[in-house]
Amino acid sequence: MLLLNIDHVPGREIEALGIVKGTIVQSKNFGKDFMAGMKTLVGGEITGYTEMITEARQIATKRMVDEAEALGADAVVNVRYGSSSVMQGAAEVIAYGTAVRLR
């Protein structure tokens, strides 16, 4: 599946099939959350959170691709990501774009 964050596929005509998305709400592990709290005292990257968001983005992308494949798409264009805090200790990640068939 071709994923692009532009609104076309260079050199190809496309047929838009519709908007596709994938979402996940991921919570933090208590142990990692505690260690992250300690890290805020000294500064620097909180690798546990970075890993959590990276994993969540991968899952959301896979779900978006699955939805596009179900429509018979060859690609998803204009791919975007968003995230938000759902509650303390949990974040939502969404991947979305337009499923297209290449001609």
Side-chain angles (χ1 to χ4, degrees):
M1 178 71 57
L2 182 61
L3 303 176
L4 298 168
N5 68 349
I6 55 178
D7 62 0
H8 65 285
V9 177
R12 301 290 297 268
E13 288 187 28
I14 60 173
E15 172 190 355
L17 302 175
I19 295 173
V20 289
K21 48 83 181 95
T23 63
I24 181 171
V25 175
Q26 185 118 353
S27 66
K28 298 177 271 193
N29 171 297
F30 176 76
K32 286 185 180 181
D33 195 33
F34 177 76
M35 293 307 293
M38 300 304 287
K39 183 71 171 184
T40 61
L41 297 174
V42 295
E45 180 181 7
I46 303 171
T47 56
Y49 287 178
T50 301
E51 291 166 2
M52 180 193 77
I53 292 296
T54 299
E55 179 185 358
R57 191 178 298 115
Q58 290 170 343
I59 293 168
T61 301
K62 169 85 169 80
R63 291 177 180 174
M64 177 187 66
V65 167
D66 290 348
E67 200 171 290
E69 287 175 343
L71 292 175
D74 301 309
V76 180
V77 296
N78 207 25
V79 173
R80 300 290 186 259
Y81 292 94
S83 63
S84 63
S85 178
V86 175
M87 58 183 273
Q88 186 173 358
E92 175 196 31
V93 173
I94 182 168
Y96 60 97
T98 302
V100 299
R101 187 173 293 128
L102 302 177
R103 297 185 192 171

